[in-house]
Amino acid sequence: MESFKSSQVSNWSVYGIPAFQDNYLWAIVHEPSKACMVVDPGCAKSVQAFMDAKGYHLAGILVTHHHMDHVGGIDALLRLTGKDIPVYGPATGRVPQVNRPVREGDTVDVHCLVARVVEVPGHTSDHLAYLIELKETMQSDAVWMFPGDTLFSGGCGRLFEGSAEQMHTSLQKLGQFPAQTQVYCAHEYTESNLRFARAYAPELQALVLREQEVKEIRSRGLSTIPTTLEIERLSNLFLNAKSAEELKSIRTAKDNF
């Protein structure tokens, strides 16, 4: 799959850059200036090819967590630009290229848009998400969410470092935003997530309809991402878990599926 434009509001666009087997690297572009902010650039070659093809230039990097498929391309991109590019990420020091450490409640300037930093531990202990509320566009419910590996379409990240309690709290934090929030998660896992969900909760009609929709989208070679919080509230067992205990039970079943 080639890179694709997934959203555009006024002067800003979001592009998906496929990488590896199922990753999406997200590029937030200010079209008039051609400035490009990349989220979790695990593959420098994929990002550079995208920017070269579109005539964009790297203006900054947003990091959600330290796993190599999210940070492995940072060094090469910084060498290619030869400039002091801001790299925002967890303030724990686990991503050495981060030169703008951020924490819960901090904000990041993304081409005159404001990205709010939200701490969402669970997948890792210091995982971050970035949320851009597009109030400048007069669309008060327009939000772009970049949750890394915390929230997936139909799923959530594995609990490599954090607890079920942390993941439940993190998903509840992300789930509070408006229904039409665009969720730019980092992997194309939707089909496998829904296959599990259908087996776990076969009585839920919303899962049947969502799985049919996703199969049709994927049959045309298209991405199922971004999803929306409205869709996830109907079809994501993890987001809808009523307690940490319920989430842990679902997560254990998924890990063994």
Side-chain angles (χ1 to χ4, degrees):
M1 183 190 295
E2 296 181 353
S3 62
F4 57 95
K5 182 184 287 189
S6 58
S7 293
Q8 182 166 9
V9 177
S10 188
N11 291 322
W12 296 272
S13 303
V14 178
Y15 290 85
I17 308 171
F20 310 121
Q21 183 176 351
D22 51 38
N23 281 70
Y24 290 128
L25 321 178
W26 298 106
I28 309 165
V29 176
H30 182 242
E31 299 289 358
S33 67
K34 304 298 183 183
C36 176
M37 187 83 82
V38 181
V39 183
D40 287 348
C43 178
K45 182 178 179 180
S46 298
V47 173
Q48 194 62 51
F50 162 78
M51 292 193 298
D52 289 346
K54 299 288 188 181
Y56 298 143
H57 64 273
L58 186 65
I61 293 171
L62 301 177
V63 176
T64 64
H65 66 293
H66 67 276
H67 289 165
M68 282 303 293
D69 60 325
H70 293 252
V71 303
I74 296 177
D75 281 335
L77 287 172
L78 295 180
R79 287 196 301 270
L80 286 168
T81 62
K83 300 177 181 178
D84 180 23
I85 299 296
V87 182
Y88 300 91
T92 53
R94 300 173 81 180
V95 182
Q97 301 91 342
V98 168
N99 52 32
R100 306 289 197 280
V102 290
R103 295 180 172 85
E104 176 86 22
D106 288 342
T107 58
V108 176
D109 180 8
V110 182
H111 322 313
C112 298
L113 296 176
V114 176
R116 187 197 310 183
V117 178
V118 181
E119 293 179 356
V120 285
H123 182 63
T124 66
S125 60
D126 55 354
H127 202 299
L128 302 179
Y130 299 90
L131 292 109
I132 299 176
E133 297 176 84
L134 301 165
K135 294 181 180 178
E136 293 89 342
T137 68
M138 305 304 291
Q139 298 181 36
S140 60
D141 62 346
V143 180
W144 291 340
M145 176 187 292
F146 300 89
D149 286 356
T150 297
L151 174 62
F152 292 131
S153 175
C156 76
R158 286 178 178 265
L159 303 178
F160 286 126
E161 296 177 2
S163 65
E165 289 77 10
Q166 287 177 314
M167 179 61 84
H168 183 256
T169 298
S170 295
L171 291 176
Q172 294 302 301
K173 287 167 74 173
L174 295 180
Q176 70 181 324
F177 289 88
Q180 293 308 309
T181 295
Q182 301 284 299
V183 181
Y184 296 93
C185 43
H187 291 273
E188 182 61 70
Y189 287 163
T190 313
E191 275 191 295
S192 61
N193 284 340
L194 290 174
R195 193 178 308 119
F196 160 74
R198 287 271 287 114
Y200 189 88
E203 74 283 359
L204 294 182
Q205 184 63 22
L207 290 176
V208 176
L209 298 176
R210 177 62 173 154
E211 186 178 41
Q212 291 172 346
E213 177 187 45
V214 165
K215 285 182 176 179
E216 194 277 330
I217 292 170
R218 295 301 288 160
S219 72
R220 292 185 283 132
L222 301 177
S223 172
T224 64
I225 313 300
T227 181
T228 67
L229 283 181
E230 181 176 34
I231 291 171
E232 296 311 302
R233 287 167 184 162
L234 291 172
S235 58
N236 191 315
L237 300 180
F238 299 91
L239 186 66
N240 290 323
K242 297 296 190 294
S243 66
E245 290 74 20
E246 181 182 353
L247 185 144
K248 183 177 181 179
S249 178
I250 300 169
R251 184 69 257 177
T252 300
K254 176 67 166 63
D255 292 344
N256 294 311
F257 183 66

